[in-house]
Amino acid sequence: MAWFDAGKPIRVEGGLKARTQRGTIGSTWWSRRFIDILERICDKGRLSRGRAYARQGQVLSIDLSPGEVRAAVQGSRRTPYRIVIRIEAYDEARWTTIEESIAAQAVYRAKLLAGEMPTEIEELFAALGIDLFPRDLDMDCSCPDWGFPCKHLSAVLYLLAESFDDDPFLVLAWRGRTREQLLGSLADDAPVDTLQVADVPFADRLADFYAPGATAHRPERRATTAAPDLLLRVFPPPGDLTRTLTPAYRGLADA
């Protein structure tokens, strides 16, 4: 063990703590896809120590923005280590192409409008010659560990994967498209609140996503409810029938 690993990390009160306290982190296909990439390219020993850091609550903060994740992790030194993880964020022209490809597939479009992540979306990205999940990660940590990644980076990566479980649209937001932007485009500029998919800031989601003293039991996942008039938005009827049918669809849902 290197000299800078000798001390135990300073305990944190109220840090971000992984909900999964035993076994594998990540329960959905998209979070597991991200974890599989990490475990293939990263040092397994440091990934293991990173899981321990994530479960102990050593990560102080995580902020996700297009192409970048910034975080702070408390190690054995008084000053927390600063983390930066970068991937390519796609520009507006590329996202226009992606959205057109999604819109051309009615099933993909319907699932995304209902708040689901279709398993085929990774293949859709690949067909366009781009990646949904990063193959390489440009990562930096202010600690003196030369390993790739260090345990501080590993802790952040695991918590990031677990946050993908709860909100798959964070994967797309990292690539440069927020939930609101994507669904607004797919719904032909329909108000996002009509589709019942509110865009909550990442920092606000973290406030109740990770809780100090979390147990090994994962909270029940709530079923996603599609908007009553979702079918009309995916397959618009001719003429003015949309205006006539929308109240009827909503009335059936209330009944």
Side-chain angles (χ1 to χ4, degrees):
M1 183 176 291
W3 64 270
F4 47 81
D5 284 332
K8 292 183 178 181
I10 298 172
R11 290 289 180 177
V12 172
E13 293 294 333
L16 306 179
K17 183 176 290 189
R19 293 189 300 181
T20 307
Q21 291 294 298
R22 290 184 180 180
T24 300
I25 291 179
S27 62
T28 56
W29 75 263
W30 51 87
S31 63
R32 283 308 313 164
R33 182 76 178 94
F34 182 63
I35 290 293
D36 289 343
I37 293 171
L38 299 182
E39 293 180 345
R40 187 173 67 247
I41 67 174
C42 299
D43 179 84
K44 293 184 178 180
R46 286 179 174 81
L47 285 176
S48 176
R49 291 192 287 275
R51 283 195 299 271
Y53 261 53
R55 287 166 174 161
Q56 291 167 15
Q58 297 301 123
V59 179
L60 302 176
S61 64
I62 300 177
D63 180 35
L64 183 146
S65 59
E68 187 174 86
V69 168
R70 289 185 175 271
V73 180
Q74 182 62 63
S76 57
R77 297 183 176 182
R78 185 176 300 274
T79 302
Y81 297 121
R82 298 296 169 182
I83 304 290
V84 182
I85 305 169
R86 303 179 185 88
I87 64 171
E88 181 184 2
Y90 298 136
D91 60 20
E92 189 66 25
R94 182 159 287 182
W95 268 110
T96 297
T97 301
I98 294 169
E99 289 168 349
E100 289 173 351
S101 297
I102 294 173
Q105 301 289 334
V107 174
Y108 302 173
R109 183 185 178 207
K111 286 185 177 180
L112 286 167
L113 286 170
E116 301 175 20
M117 182 69 75
T119 56
E120 302 88 354
I121 195 169
E122 190 174 10
E123 297 176 4
L124 183 147
F125 272 69
L128 296 174
I130 55 179
D131 294 316
L132 174 59
F133 297 97
R135 295 177 183 269
D136 300 300
L137 295 167
D138 179 9
M139 302 186 289
D140 294 304
C141 178
S142 60
C143 81
D145 192 348
W146 48 264
F148 179 79
C150 64
K151 55 182 174 288
H152 315 108
L153 279 165
S154 298
V156 173
L157 291 169
Y158 276 114
L159 289 183
L160 191 61
E162 199 173 61
S163 72
F164 292 159
D165 273 338
D166 204 50
D167 186 357
F169 286 88
L170 289 176
V171 179
L172 302 176
W174 202 11
R175 282 295 190 191
R177 210 54 155 189
T178 67
R179 174 200 294 249
E180 183 178 24
Q181 290 171 325
L182 178 64
L183 297 187
S185 173
L186 294 180
D188 295 328
D189 300 323
V192 177
D193 57 356
T194 301
L195 299 173
Q196 301 178 359
V197 266
D199 185 28
V200 181
F202 183 61
D204 291 350
R205 283 195 292 270
L206 285 173
D208 56 4
F209 184 81
Y210 300 108
T215 68
H217 301 288
R218 181 179 296 277
E220 276 189 33
R221 297 181 60 85
R222 291 175 293 178
T224 302
T225 302
D229 56 348
L230 176 61
L231 185 61
L232 297 178
R233 297 187 179 281
V234 178
F235 302 105
D240 294 330
L241 283 178
T242 298
R243 182 177 301 177
T244 303
L245 292 174
T246 296
Y249 272 72
R250 290 178 178 171
L252 288 171
D254 293 339

